[in-house]
Amino acid sequence: MEYVYAALLLHYAKQPITEDNVTKVLQSAGIQVDEVKVKALVSAVKDVNIDEAIKTAAAVPVSAPSAAPQAAAPQAAEAKPAEAKAEEKKAEEKKEEETLESLASLFG
């Protein structure tokens, strides 16, 4: 949690979210830094529009996680490429929605 807060603090201060900057923020707060977590965080937020994620997270109600993820239905052998692209797009949207929900839980 403190790693995410460090990234949000850097974003708020309009500083780049880099491994070095996150490490400095955490160390200045007296936190023992785990370099693997820092690298994972920086990699995860690299392509995220944090302002948009915060806006969306504030608007999305947080729901309880399901007991088990739904198994994907087997795809028909003769599926059309357009159908495959549509399914891929839906999967990406679902993944993005799950990411936003997890961000929403930070501000819930």
Side-chain angles (χ1 to χ4, degrees), residues 19-89:
E19 292 176 28
D20 189 46
N21 285 350
V22 171
T23 300
K24 286 178 184 177
V25 168
L26 293 171
Q27 286 175 340
S28 69
I31 296 171
Q32 183 69 30
V33 178
D34 180 348
E35 293 300 321
V36 174
K37 288 182 181 180
V38 172
K39 288 181 184 202
L41 172 79
V42 171
S43 176
V45 300
K46 178 175 50 175
D47 296 326
V48 175
N49 180 337
I50 295 174
D51 289 323
E52 189 63 33
I54 291 171
K55 285 181 194 174
T56 305
V60 175
V62 178
S63 62
S66 62
Q70 296 274 342
Q75 202 173 13
E78 58 271 348
K80 297 177 184 175
E83 290 176 0
K85 287 181 182 179
E87 287 182 24
E88 185 177 305
K89 184 175 180 181

Side-chain angles (χ1 to χ4, degrees), residues 57 60-64 96-106:
V60 175
V62 178
S63 62
E96 185 174 310
E97 183 177 304
E98 289 172 353
T99 301
L100 293 175
E101 285 178 6
S102 67
L103 285 173
S105 68
L106 295 174

